Amino acid sequence: MNEIIPVSDPLDTEAELERLARRYKAAGGFGIQLLNTLGTGADGLLSRLPKPVRDQLNDASRVALTQALGAASKSRGVVPDQAEWLNVTVSAAMGAAGGFGGLPTALAELPVTTTLLLRVIEGVAVEHGFDPTTDSVRFDCVQVFAAAGPLEHDDGSDIAFLTTRLAMSGGAMQKLIAAVAPRLAVVLGQKMAAQTVPVLGAAAGAAINFSYTKYYTDMAHVHFGVRRLAVEADQTHDAMVDRLRSQVLALK
């Protein structure tokens, strides 16, 4: 099966780059607002978790992402891709359930939300004309999780997450997961900690999942939007990333 699925008319490259740059800059805004509401910073959130939990975050993230990869792929033949508003609504409900019982339920909800996020990313890949059943696109879907996360202030340097490339040799997916897991561990650790905020647990869980789903939807659009532009303009991926970076830096 071909990697690229036929899509609509070719895009105006400069106009689309500007649109993607603005989407990139806006991503995570809700997450930062949520932190301000909770009266804490991203680093402060992680300190709320018990040390044994913090010590296991890398392993838990790697397992969650591995399970999500299989579950998301299998679900494609059963459940169609959904509209963005429905994705964030379902994710918010899951976050509320995860935050209702504090840390135990937040831990149990972790792989389920990771699967939903990966499935959302796959849906965005399809929107941009890519086939998520191919190995290279599955790689790219996982790579979106290398973005900083919605609770981190961004100065534009995180565009580097778009440029990472690993050779698709034997065991390459597990190597990619191992490379992404430390970044994802921080992101998921912040999410779990927010869900354990006293009194606010369920509400914080719903808000944080809403923020995460919106953020990774935006990052997926940036990631696959750049890939599509590179194909249509017959330019290298790295060259198109550099053009996007220039657009981001030019924004006020």
Side-chain angles (χ1 to χ4, degrees):
M1 183 176 291
N2 293 329
E3 175 187 320
I4 300 178
I5 303 169
V7 291
S8 57
D9 293 336
L11 302 171
D12 179 319
T13 302
E14 286 304 318
E16 182 65 7
L17 278 172
E18 181 179 355
R19 191 186 71 81
L20 292 175
R22 292 188 182 282
R23 189 161 196 166
Y24 175 87
K25 289 287 285 186
F30 183 84
I32 298 300
Q33 293 174 22
L34 176 61
L35 283 185
N36 292 335
T37 300
L38 297 177
T40 187
D43 292 338
L45 277 177
L46 286 177
S47 67
R48 295 175 183 265
L49 294 175
K51 188 177 185 302
V53 174
R54 294 199 306 270
D55 290 344
Q56 294 300 315
L57 278 176
N58 273 4
D59 288 341
S61 299
R62 185 169 60 251
V63 170
L65 192 49
T66 300
Q67 293 176 345
L69 192 63
S73 296
K74 291 177 182 177
S75 73
R76 297 202 64 80
V78 180
V79 181
D81 293 322
Q82 304 297 322
E84 289 185 13
W85 69 267
L86 184 57
N87 288 329
V88 296
T89 300
V90 171
S91 181
M94 290 166 53
F100 185 79
L103 187 57
T105 53
L107 282 167
E109 179 245 338
L110 200 64
V112 182
T113 292
T114 305
T115 299
L116 174 63
L117 292 175
L118 187 57
R119 179 59 197 273
V120 167
I121 292 168
E122 288 183 354
V124 174
V126 172
E127 284 187 50
H128 286 276
F130 294 95
D131 182 357
T133 67
T134 61
D135 287 343
S136 63
V137 177
R138 294 177 77 221
F139 265 53
D140 277 276
C141 289
V142 172
Q143 190 177 327
V144 171
F145 284 114
L151 305 186
E152 300 288 348
H153 287 285
D154 177 44
D155 59 3
S157 61
D158 195 50
I159 291 177
F161 88 92
L162 290 171
T163 62
T164 303
R165 283 289 182 269
L166 293 178
M168 288 184 292
S169 56
M173 181 59 80
Q174 289 306 312
K175 292 177 184 177
L176 177 61
I177 289 174
V180 170
R183 175 66 68 93
L184 186 60
V186 173
V187 173
L188 295 181
Q190 292 167 345
K191 170 181 142 54
M192 283 194 296
Q195 288 175 296
T196 63
V197 173
V199 182
L200 297 176
I208 205 77
N209 268 33
F210 177 95
S211 172
Y212 274 46
T213 305
K214 180 69 171 62
Y215 174 82
Y216 284 113
T217 298
D218 288 340
M219 288 294 103
H221 275 291
V222 173
H223 187 97
F224 288 104
V226 168
R227 281 204 60 184
R228 180 184 172 189
L229 286 174
V231 171
E232 291 187 347
D234 195 23
Q235 292 187 10
T236 66
H237 178 266
D238 288 347
M240 196 60 71
V241 170
D242 286 341
R243 292 175 65 180
L244 174 66
R245 183 179 288 108
S246 296
Q247 288 273 11
V248 170
L249 295 176
L251 294 176
K252 301 298 183 182

